[in-house]
């Protein structure tokens, strides 16, 4: 598998996966296939855009002709599928967009891979990136999601991801398509769109704006530094077993409120503000409808079978993340103003 299609490579996690593969595998061809929705930003990849083993193709996973063309043109033999609508709050206001991309887009990609590979699965691999949210919610006082936990999605986002996961497994079981699925916990790190908790709050602290904590802030998430996720994807893509599912997690559970206090401490320190100066910005707002109480991942299968484990502690990851956003205020200003959408035009000389 040397000609790899990475869908959603201009997004948050996708851009870290693209960078890792482009740098680590100079003899591979890495094709970044991305529709460039509001969440796709080629500026995330400015440091690798000139590499000879990298190319970008603008396209929609819901369009089978575009997918087939890119697969044939680049003789694709491996797919790492990250393209998705990814934000839970947006799924509550526009669930159809999530069904379109996460269900129909995934199905279109599967069907096209099946057609193009024509039943010759040797050396082929379809790797689907999913989320721990498909498993539903855990109580505060214990338990973890394992690979055999029953699916129980609550938001339109997690329902659409669950449906995509089921189609991927159905294509393996029905047609023998060589698939792998992973379900990962909350990622954080550079280049995450500032609608998600951590970059949104860093940006708001930077501008002295309110920090909207949903409900009481008691919901718990398990945080994983994005480069550790990219390393896990590399490991699983190359050494994971066909037909298997692997959970990926950081083992860093935090209530939202505890996380926000940590974030304020780190950001205030790096901005040279007195300790706790931004605490006053915390504002409790109405809870997210259907808000899952707690997620926690048991990633022991991945550790045991493939030897992967996170390398970045939460303290170190948070420090790196806050430093990155404060040092890249221009990136934050571009994505919040929409100016990043012009990057494609500057790079390719015409509009996207
Ligand atoms: P993101 O929203 O930052 O990026 C998504 C990318 O997909 C964007 O570049 C966007 O332009 C592209 N895209 C959207 N619709 C497309 C379409 N129809 N055709 C082609 N490209 C399209 O998302 P992310 O946070 O990087 O998440 C990537 C994947 O990882 C998603 O599948 C998500 O469900 C999964 N995931 C995310 C997290 C997390 O914490 N962010 C955790 C577990 C799993
Ligand atoms: O668990 C994996 C999932 O993590 C991924 O599949 C999703 O793509 C990703 O967006 C993320 O989902 P969450 O809903 O957990 O992430 P978000 O950053 O939106 O919210 C994290 C927690 O913070 C959640 O409990 C809601 C809360 N929150 C979020 C925002 C944006 C707030 O309290 N205030 C906010 O303004």
């Amino acid at each position: 598998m040397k000609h790899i299609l990475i869908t959603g490579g201009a997004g948050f996690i996708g851009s870290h996966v693209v960078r890792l593969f482009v740098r680590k595998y100079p003899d591979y061809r890495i094709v970044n296939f991305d529709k460039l929705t509001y969440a796709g930003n080629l500026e995330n990849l400015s440091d690798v855009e000139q590499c000879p083993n990298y190319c970008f193709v603008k396209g929609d996973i819901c369009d089978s002709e575009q997918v087939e063309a890119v697969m044939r043109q680049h003789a694709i033999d491996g797919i790492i599928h990250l393209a998705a609508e990814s934000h839970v709050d947006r799924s509550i206001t526009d669930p159809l967009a999530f069904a379109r991309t996460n269900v129909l887009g995934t199905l279109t990609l599967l069907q096209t891979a099946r057609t193009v590979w024509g039943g010759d699965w040797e050396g082929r691999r379809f790797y689907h990136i999913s989320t721990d949210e498909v498993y539903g919610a855990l109580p505060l006082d214990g338990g973890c999601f394992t690979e055999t936990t029953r699916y129980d999605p609550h938001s339109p986002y997690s329902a659409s991801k669950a449906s995509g996961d089921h189609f991927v497994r159905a294509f393996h079981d029905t047609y023998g398509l060589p698939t792998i699925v992973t379900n990962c916990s909350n990622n954080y790190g550079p280049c995450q769109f500032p609608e998600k908790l951590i970059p949104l709050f860093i940006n708001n602290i930077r501008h002295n704006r309110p920090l909207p904590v949903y409900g009481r802030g008691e919901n718990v998430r398990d945080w994983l530094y994005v480069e550790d996720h990219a390393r896990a994807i590399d490991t699983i893509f190359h050494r994971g077993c066909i037909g298997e599912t692997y959970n990926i997690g950081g083992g860093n559970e935090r209530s939202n409120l505890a996380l926000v206090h940590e974030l304020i401490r780190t950001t205030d320190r790096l901005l040279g503000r007195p300790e706790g100066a931004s605490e006053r910005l915390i504002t409790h707002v109405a809870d997210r409808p259907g808000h899952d109480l707690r997620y926690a991942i048991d990633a022991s299968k991945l550790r045991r079978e493939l030897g992967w484990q996170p390398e970045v502690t939460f303290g170190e990851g948070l420090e790196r993340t806050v430093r990155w956003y404060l040092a890249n205020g221009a990136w934050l200003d571009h994505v919040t103003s929409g100016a990043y959408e012009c990057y494609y035009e500057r790079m390719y000389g015409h509009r996207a």
Side-chain angles (χ1 to χ4, degrees):
M1 289 164 300
K2 295 207 166 165
H3 295 185
I4 300 170
L5 188 75
I6 300 184
T7 72
F12 165 47
I13 302 172
S15 60
H16 289 273
V17 176
V18 167
R19 179 176 299 101
L20 175 69
F21 274 66
V22 167
R23 293 212 173 126
K24 188 168 172 187
Y25 302 109
D27 57 331
Y28 285 16
R29 179 181 301 169
I30 305 300
V31 182
N32 173 9
F33 185 77
D34 197 297
K35 184 180 174 183
L36 297 183
T37 67
Y38 79 94
N41 181 359
L42 288 175
E43 222 174 304
N44 295 346
L45 289 164
S46 55
D47 55 333
V48 295
E49 71 196 14
Q50 302 300 340
C51 293
N53 61 339
Y54 169 75
C55 82
F56 171 71
V57 176
K58 185 172 188 289
D60 186 342
I61 55 165
C62 299
D63 184 327
S64 58
E65 284 179 17
Q66 289 180 5
V67 176
E68 182 164 345
V70 73
M71 283 193 70
R72 292 200 190 279
Q73 188 190 344
H74 294 278
I76 295 298
D77 46 22
I79 296 176
I80 303 179
H81 174 36
L82 295 114
E85 288 295 337
S86 68
H87 191 43
V88 174
D89 294 328
R90 285 181 191 256
S91 81
I92 295 168
T93 48
D94 187 7
L96 275 179
F98 284 68
R100 227 174 277 125
T101 295
N102 302 355
V103 184
L104 289 176
T106 299
L107 180 55
T108 305
L109 205 57
L110 287 161
Q111 180 71 347
T112 309
R114 188 181 151 227
T115 306
V116 173
W117 290 340
D120 175 11
W121 310 137
E122 190 56 37
R124 265 77 191 253
R125 189 160 284 212
F126 187 110
Y127 177 4
H128 174 65
I129 308 299
S130 190
T131 171
D132 60 358
E133 301 204 6
V134 297
Y135 296 124
L138 293 163
L140 284 180
D141 59 358
C144 278
F145 300 132
T146 71
E147 287 80 0
T148 55
T149 300
R150 196 169 166 274
Y151 273 31
D152 182 22
H154 298 143
S155 71
Y157 164 70
S158 52
S160 69
K161 290 296 289 184
S163 173
D165 297 7
H166 289 317
F167 273 112
V168 174
R169 295 194 180 99
F171 267 61
H172 172 265
D173 296 349
T174 307
Y175 308 112
L177 195 81
T179 62
I180 296 184
V181 177
T182 55
N183 298 88
C184 186
S185 64
N186 284 61
N187 285 218
Y188 69 103
C191 299
Q192 186 170 31
F193 197 84
E195 60 187 352
K196 310 279 165 51
L197 180 74
I198 290 183
L200 174 72
F201 278 33
I202 296 170
N203 197 31
N204 285 8
I205 294 171
R206 188 174 158 244
H207 291 294
N208 279 306
R209 292 188 196 130
L211 307 175
V213 173
Y214 297 161
R216 293 208 297 262
E218 63 187 357
N219 303 66
V220 171
R221 296 291 180 266
D222 167 11
W223 295 93
L224 177 69
Y225 191 65
V226 63
E227 289 179 6
D228 276 331
H229 189 188
R231 277 194 315 102
I233 289 172
D234 177 23
T235 302
I236 294 161
F237 180 71
H238 288 96
R239 296 197 288 112
C241 285
I242 297 298
E244 287 293 321
T245 295
Y246 299 90
N247 278 353
I248 309 173
N252 292 304
E253 283 187 56
R254 294 283 187 290
S255 74
N256 290 340
L257 209 49
L259 170 62
V260 170
H261 288 308
E262 254 173 290
L263 206 51
I264 288 173
R265 255 196 315 279
T266 308
T267 312
D268 276 345
R269 173 168 51 78
L270 293 174
L271 283 171
R273 294 181 186 169
E275 193 177 332
S278 303
E279 289 283 335
R280 68 191 161 78
L281 299 175
I282 293 179
T283 311
H284 288 270
V285 298
D287 209 351
R288 174 186 276 174
H291 198 175
D292 286 331
L293 186 54
R294 174 172 165 260
Y295 303 140
I297 277 279
D298 176 351
S300 58
K301 174 176 172 181
L302 179 55
R303 193 171 52 243
R304 199 173 53 246
E305 295 185 7
L306 301 180
W308 174 90
Q309 56 182 19
E311 287 179 357
V312 181
T313 63
F314 190 67
E316 191 186 332
L318 203 62
E319 173 94 15
R320 276 195 212 173
T321 302
V322 176
R323 278 186 189 280
W324 188 87
Y325 286 100
L326 296 184
N328 289 276
W331 183 94
L332 275 170
D333 295 340
H334 284 172
V335 296
T336 46
S337 71
Y340 66 109
E341 286 161 12
C342 303
Y343 188 81
Y344 182 93
E345 208 172 331
R346 272 188 277 130
M347 200 169 134
Y348 292 94
H350 56 91
R351 294 181 80 84

